[in-house]
Amino acid sequence: MTLSTPSVCVTLGTRPEAIKLAPVIQKLRGIANLKTYVILTGQHREMVDGVMELFNLNSDRDLAIMKPKQTLTEITCNSLQGLEEIFRELQPQLVIVQGDTSTAFSAALAAFYQKIPIGHVEAGLRTDDLFNPYPEEANRRLISQITQFHFAPTDLAVENLYKAGVTGKIYQTGNTVIDALLQVADTNPQCNIASLDWSKYRVLLATVHRRENWGQPLQDILQGFHLILENFSDTALLLPMHRNPTVREPIKAFFAESQVKERVFLTEPLDYKQLVGAISGCYLLLTDSGGLQEEAPSLGKPVLVLRETTERQEAIAAGTAKLIGTNSRTILNHAQELLTNPEAYQRMATAINPFGDGLAAVKIVEIIQNFLKENS
Ligand code: UD1
């Protein structure tokens, strides 16, 4: 490659960004005559490193900004400053960001300040409630305003972007998370957790981490899990805990004295392979995660969404997920229906995944290549 070889910087900081960008990076790196730099802000450490390894990816730069209990201001300022220097040095033709994290917002802003075009993967998600999810709804709206290439996963996301009056080109590509998921599911992964006998229980796979669920909503959610376990003795709870101490400490404290604790499996975050194994093996999912709402339907598992709003309305419309909030009784009632009514369960489990067919990265990379050709 020569000095004039075109280059693209792919920036990421958290685990979902790494998973959803992995298929795009793999495809970009397969193109001769293109230099693809992977830049980590380091917003997350352990949780990203595992994903990089699984997809055989190495990074070219790493800002290593993570600190315990970091604030949004720290993440944004440190990423913005670090990325400014890197973009100045590498002079890429395009910067790729994904989703709605503080890393994605800072990377888009750093690119915009140097007038480098931005490609936004998973563009156009909206709840239309600025504070739900917080700060992600604001991050994605801000990114959309300064992006040239909007890679929207679904028709609804495309519509949201038109409604927002954004400039730049809008493409419907599907969601790259399905590409990543299918790649891993192909290897038939298993989830092995010490002393959890998958054949003995109907396993409820749960995750919680959202800022708007910190405090009382988290307590209500945990109480909801407790009620399910109390009412259904053939169920077990597998809850991989996010590394954020603000979430994991109350979870551990809640179950420490619980009467059902022998059926509660609190673990470290699962690596992605184990997570895919857990989705395949579980009975149903209870989560406030966005990615799991997209992934679970591909493996035929119903999702109960522990939030008041969702930017994944497609899942609700398709019938693969239900938005149930954080009230403990409501959580019990919805889980109860799926645990006792086989027809209700089948309806959710067999609905078609609206988020794509595993070819999103191919479409995105084709668009990027055409842009680079036109501008070489
Ligand atoms: C971030 C994203 C959120 C995304 C989530 C996925 C923002 C504002 N939020 O939220 O959109 O859904 O990641 O996980 O960008 N920590 C570790 N090791 C790790 C990762 C985190 O110790 O590998 C701890 C650190 O103490 C850190 C804390 O977790 O301070 C919180 O991380 P942070 O990135 O601030 O927020 P998340 O809640 O993870």
Side-chain angles (χ1 to χ4, degrees):
M1 283 188 223
T2 66
L3 263 184
S4 59
T5 304
S7 68
V8 170
C9 283
V10 183
T11 49
L12 63 102
T14 67
R15 188 159 97 136
E17 291 167 88
I19 293 168
K20 291 176 173 184
L21 285 172
V24 177
I25 297 167
Q26 288 171 337
K27 294 261 165 341
L28 285 172
R29 287 209 164 144
I31 300 173
N33 239 354
L34 174 69
K35 179 69 197 154
T36 300
Y37 296 104
V38 175
I39 318 289
L40 304 186
T41 59
Q43 179 176 340
H44 288 179
R45 183 76 287 146
E46 304 87 337
M47 290 170 68
V48 163
D49 292 348
V51 178
M52 298 289 286
E53 232 176 270
L54 174 65
F55 287 96
N56 262 320
L57 300 175
N58 60 305
S59 65
D60 299 278
R61 299 283 191 286
D62 188 344
L63 296 172
I65 64 159
M66 192 179 90
K67 286 196 219 157
K69 302 217 170 182
Q70 59 202 357
T71 65
L72 296 174
T73 307
E74 284 170 327
I75 301 173
T76 305
C77 292
N78 294 335
S79 303
L80 188 59
Q81 266 181 342
L83 289 170
E84 173 177 46
E85 273 176 44
I86 293 175
F87 294 163
R88 208 177 287 292
E89 174 205 335
L90 301 176
Q91 299 281 322
Q93 272 66 51
L94 185 70
V95 168
I96 306 282
V97 305
Q98 194 285 330
D100 51 21
T101 64
S102 295
T103 286
F105 167 58
S106 316
L109 191 58
F112 175 73
Y113 282 162
Q114 291 181 48
K115 300 201 176 138
I116 304 166
I118 299 157
H120 185 200
V121 175
E122 200 182 46
L125 275 61
R126 296 290 186 274
T127 59
D128 290 330
D129 176 349
L130 189 55
F131 286 89
N132 255 313
Y134 169 83
E136 289 84 356
E137 176 76 4
N139 284 343
R140 56 197 176 211
R141 290 192 201 183
L142 294 163
I143 296 168
S144 292
Q145 294 307 321
I146 53 177
T147 287
Q148 282 66 39
F149 298 95
H150 307 267
F151 302 120
T154 63
D155 290 339
L156 180 61
V158 169
E159 212 177 286
N160 288 338
L161 289 165
Y162 282 121
K163 262 199 246 153
V166 300
T167 52
K169 294 185 174 153
I170 303 173
Y171 303 89
Q172 206 266 66
T173 59
N175 197 313
T176 54
V177 78
I178 309 298
D179 309 23
L181 174 78
L182 296 180
Q183 209 182 107
V184 174
D186 259 0
T187 64
N188 197 16
Q190 307 293 315
C191 178
N192 299 314
I193 306 289
S195 70
L196 169 55
D197 180 352
W198 287 85
S199 63
K200 197 164 150 197
Y201 300 114
R202 290 193 283 178
V203 175
L204 315 166
L205 174 61
T207 71
V208 249
H209 77 281
R210 299 236 153 252
R211 279 181 157 71
E212 61 275 15
N213 278 341
W214 291 0
Q216 191 55 44
L218 177 59
Q219 292 301 320
D220 296 341
I221 290 171
L222 297 173
Q223 180 60 24
F225 295 167
H226 178 89
L227 288 174
I228 305 172
L229 292 165
E230 212 176 42
N231 282 277
F232 294 92
S233 58
D234 67 334
T235 59
L237 177 71
L238 171 57
L239 202 170
M241 291 179 295
H242 192 285
R243 292 228 180 239
N244 194 337
T246 317
V247 190
R248 72 166 40 199
E249 278 156 23
I251 295 177
K252 281 187 177 164
F254 183 93
F255 286 111
E257 300 306 324
S258 156
Q259 282 159 5
V260 290
K261 71 176 174 202
E262 77 283 1
R263 286 184 282 128
V264 176
F265 298 84
L266 304 179
T267 68
E268 290 303 310
L270 300 178
D271 67 42
Y272 193 55
K273 222 170 161 167
Q274 292 233 26
L275 177 73
V276 176
I279 302 175
S280 312
C282 79
Y283 184 79
L284 77 92
L285 289 92
L286 297 127
T287 185
D288 64 6
S289 146
L292 284 171
Q293 292 173 54
E294 297 155 347
E295 291 161 326
S298 282
L299 302 179
K301 299 301 155 95
V303 184
L304 298 177
V305 183
L306 306 166
R307 291 171 57 182
E308 304 302 334
T309 57
T310 180
E311 55 293 277
R312 275 117 178 144
Q313 285 297 341
E314 300 88 339
I316 311 296
T320 56
K322 269 192 188 152
L323 189 62
I324 67 165
T326 58
N327 178 284
S328 53
R329 281 272 146 203
T330 315
I331 293 173
L332 171 64
N333 292 342
H334 283 280
Q336 183 164 350
E337 195 190 10
L338 292 172
L339 287 159
T340 54
N341 179 344
E343 277 151 38
Y345 184 88
Q346 278 310 317
R347 257 199 311 279
M348 284 188 84
T350 54
I352 304 282
N353 189 344
F355 294 106
D357 51 9
L359 295 172
V362 175
K363 291 178 195 155
I364 290 169
V365 170
E366 213 172 270
I367 297 161
I368 295 175
Q369 270 188 295
N370 287 338
F371 161 70
L372 293 173
K373 260 189 227 145
E374 283 162 21
N375 289 278
S376 63

